[in-house]
Amino acid sequence: MRADLGFFSLADGMGGHAAGEVASQMAVDRLMEEYLAAGSDELEAGALEAVLLAAAHKANAAIFARSEKEPDKAGMGTTLTVLALAPGERAYRAVHVGDSRAYRLRDDTLVQLTTDHTWVQQQVQLGYLAPGLARNHPFSNIVTRALGIRDAVDVDVVRGEIWPGDIFLLCSDGLTGMVADADIGELIASSASADESVSRLVDAANAAGGRDNVTALVIRMAAG
Ligand code: CA
């Protein structure tokens, strides 16, 4: 993460604790490297998007290759959610794979920007499962897409505008599996700073009996 550059990334590893950590670290390192190599904060939104996408595919290939070579890392993978700002155009671009999430809070309304790559989300989209039942579904932990699991991966791109006062949240399923969106929005809206938001979100997940590790990043745009 390089807040000074407007670059934020979150990766939640899977495939055994140690291997998952390797995969998630490889993903965020690779994204950062490619972003910096491309001239980063100078980029306009379209070019930024191309850089992030290419970097996600490179990270996928690198993680997959390593998992094939090192038996103790077989099957490792990671989610990846990256948010990069193009402040000159008041735009952001996000790339996303897996069940971590990006949200935007604007005028006290929390909107999920990314789509979960999970079995339950597929059922919701097909109309077989009510959205409200997805979070506590017994199969809610089945991820349908992750970085590094196969030799190729589909990467989602999310495009949007930045408004003064917007607050962005990147988080792992360790948070969203335990705390409802309405509560997440309220906690962030009532916090005085990004740091306060993060610690209150982590506390809320733990208080709800969090079994998974919680990762959260909160990014606040200056109010106009
Ligand atoms: Ca997780």
Side-chain angles (χ1 to χ4, degrees):
M1 174 179 105
R2 280 288 297 271
D4 54 329
L5 297 176
F7 177 90
F8 309 89
S9 63
L10 185 145
D12 187 17
M14 51 190 75
H17 184 65
E21 205 124 287
V22 170
S24 60
Q25 197 60 51
M26 285 178 75
V28 293
D29 287 351
R30 191 57 180 261
L31 265 288
M32 173 63 85
E33 253 169 57
E34 300 282 333
Y35 173 79
L36 292 175
S40 58
D41 53 336
E42 307 285 308
L43 293 173
E44 54 99 16
L48 183 59
E49 173 182 325
V51 168
L52 297 179
L53 260 179
H57 287 292
K58 285 180 190 170
N60 181 78
I63 296 165
F64 181 70
R66 188 160 172 193
S67 75
E68 297 255 277
K69 243 188 327 205
E70 301 178 30
D72 64 323
K73 297 183 182 64
M76 72 173 172
T78 182
T79 73
L80 178 70
T81 304
V82 178
L83 174 75
L85 310 180
E89 293 158 88
R90 291 196 208 87
Y92 70 81
R93 291 294 186 269
V95 292
H96 165 72
V97 178
D99 67 348
S100 300
R101 291 179 178 176
Y103 288 92
R104 184 200 65 216
L105 184 77
R106 178 184 291 167
D107 298 332
D108 292 343
T109 303
L110 190 75
V111 174
Q112 187 180 336
L113 302 175
T114 50
T115 303
D116 297 348
H117 299 135
T118 58
W119 183 85
V120 290
Q121 180 59 29
Q122 284 181 345
Q123 302 307 300
V124 168
Q125 277 165 332
L126 291 168
Y128 297 148
L129 186 67
L133 298 179
R135 196 163 63 85
N136 295 315
H137 194 283
F139 297 156
S140 64
N141 61 344
I142 299 178
V143 174
T144 50
R145 239 198 265 176
L147 220 63
I149 304 284
R150 296 193 182 82
D151 60 348
V153 67
D154 282 334
V155 180
D156 288 356
V157 177
V158 184
R159 309 175 180 96
E161 294 177 4
I162 302 168
W163 290 15
D166 276 352
I167 303 178
F168 294 94
L169 164 68
L170 306 184
C171 61
S172 67
D173 67 323
L175 174 67
T176 50
M178 302 312 295
V179 185
D181 281 14
D183 298 327
I184 291 174
E186 207 163 292
L187 279 170
I188 295 175
S190 62
S191 296
S193 68
D195 286 349
E196 185 187 336
S197 300
V198 169
S199 58
R200 290 178 69 191
L201 291 169
V202 171
D203 288 350
N206 289 331
R211 344 166 202 105
D212 200 358
N213 57 331
V214 182
T215 316
L217 274 175
V218 172
I219 305 118
R220 291 165 65 116
M221 300 296 119

